[in-house]
Amino acid sequence: MTRFHYRAYEMQIISNQLLDSLMPVAGGRPADLTLQFSEMAELPEKTGGHSILRTTGMNAAGLPYLEVFMADEDGNGPWLAKHRSDKGAIDYILHASPKRIEVIVQSGTPAEDIEAYLTGAVFGYFLRLCGSSCLHGGFLSWQGKAIGVVGPKGAGKSTLTAGWAQQGLPVLADDVGCLIANGESWKIASAYPRIRLWPATFNGLALENAQKIGNVMSFADKVYVDLENSPFCFEAEAQPLGAILVLAPRTAGELTIEKLIGASALAALLGQIYAPQAGGKQARIRDVKMLTDVIKTVAVYRAALPNRYDWLRHNSMELLDQIIDEFSGNA
């Protein structure tokens, strides 16, 4: 049987199906994660477990596009992520030991939907199941340090990530930033060489169609941007975390920025944990301990971005300069 080899989130991945989204690597190393794809004409409806996520978006039958279950309230596995759309169905069954994800696909389900959920929410929940804490946002590399852009929906995290990437900053990860202990400091794991953008952002940044790799999902307008196509660049190695920018709602005026320390910094980052409802009490305790440690070596800021694409194109590097000066010790 043909095996395909990839690397993402510091994991060597072996899959029995070709995946366009992930970065291929040479084989020969033991797998950290096995992806096992299979296909059925109809997927049986699995019940039971503790539901921790139901998307507000629904298909024509009134089922959420994505629902995630834990085996119990304590966070034990396996976990199940169920996708149901009008075009198909997918069950992702997540196992922590040994690390594997079973992907059971209803025949005819669009291939883009399979990968979109796998590389997004499913990987985010899988990393949490395996004991990692992740932040929800974009992560870039600059001058040997990782910079995180996190915040609530609509604050501009994908927009700023893409704007900085357009100006030459290599991208480490889009959506899920996995924290990795690095002695007394922390790193952000490299993910895969794509970012996801809404058409308004794609057009607002005046990107070219040659940089687009089609829609993320068959039923949504979000598009992929290729990070291996100039002017973009993908950072394939984990980078030491230097700063995190927590975005507030965008402003009609000028940029505002403030540094957060102590309890304020901790609270701001706890609000940006990826899949915070997953894993039970022990996972939440782990988040607090890890982020308490993170803020000892990482500069944390809160900023409100101007709601203008021209600011991104012409002035956003000034914001980067402020952050770089701070964590480089030059302020």
Side-chain angles (χ1 to χ4, degrees), residues 17-21 37 39 83 85 87-90 92 103 105-119 194 196 213 215-219 224:
Q17 179 169 305
L18 179 68
L19 298 168
D20 293 330
S21 303
F37 290 81
E39 186 175 299
H83 163 63
S85 77
K87 299 183 178 182
I90 314 163
Y92 303 88
V103 186
V105 181
Q106 182 183 23
S107 302
T109 300
E112 59 266 38
D113 296 350
I114 301 169
E115 290 201 42
Y117 281 107
L118 175 67
T119 57
R194 294 183 177 187
R196 310 175 185 210
I213 323 175
N215 282 21
V216 175
M217 296 176 184
S218 65
F219 53 90
Y224 281 123

Side-chain angles (χ1 to χ4, degrees), residues 228-296:
E228 296 181 301
N229 190 343
S230 179
F232 298 103
C233 182
F234 175 61
E235 175 53 70
E237 299 296 332
Q239 297 293 303
L241 182 56
I244 301 173
L245 190 66
V246 183
L247 298 183
R250 286 188 254 201
T251 173
E254 297 304 312
L255 168 74
T256 64
I257 182 170
E258 62 175 326
K259 186 173 183 181
L260 303 178
I261 60 173
S264 296
L266 178 61
L269 295 187
L270 282 170
Q272 306 307 321
I273 287 288
Y274 195 93
Q277 71 280 47
K281 181 180 178 180
Q282 291 306 310
R284 292 189 289 274
I285 292 172
R286 181 179 69 234
D287 294 337
V288 174
K289 289 181 177 179
M290 292 180 72
L291 292 178
T292 298
D293 195 34
V294 165
I295 62 175
K296 294 177 183 177

Side-chain angles (χ1 to χ4, degrees), residues 165-166 193 207-213 225-234:
Q166 188 182 28
L207 298 177
E208 300 176 5
N209 284 333
Q211 295 154 347
K212 183 167 60 176
I213 323 175
V225 170
D226 183 4
L227 292 176
E228 296 181 301
N229 190 343
S230 179
F232 298 103
C233 182
F234 175 61

Side-chain angles (χ1 to χ4, degrees), residues 141-200:
S141 173
W142 190 244
Q143 298 185 1
K145 296 282 189 178
I147 302 168
V149 182
V150 303
K153 184 177 181 179
K157 54 184 179 292
S158 295
T159 303
L160 181 58
T161 300
W164 275 346
Q166 188 182 28
Q167 297 180 71
L169 275 71
V171 177
L172 275 162
D174 175 43
D175 199 43
V176 179
C178 183
L179 291 161
I180 304 170
N182 181 39
E184 295 183 356
S185 59
W186 294 85
K187 288 185 176 182
I188 292 292
S190 174
Y192 56 93
R194 294 183 177 187
I195 56 176
R196 310 175 185 210
L197 297 178
W198 290 109

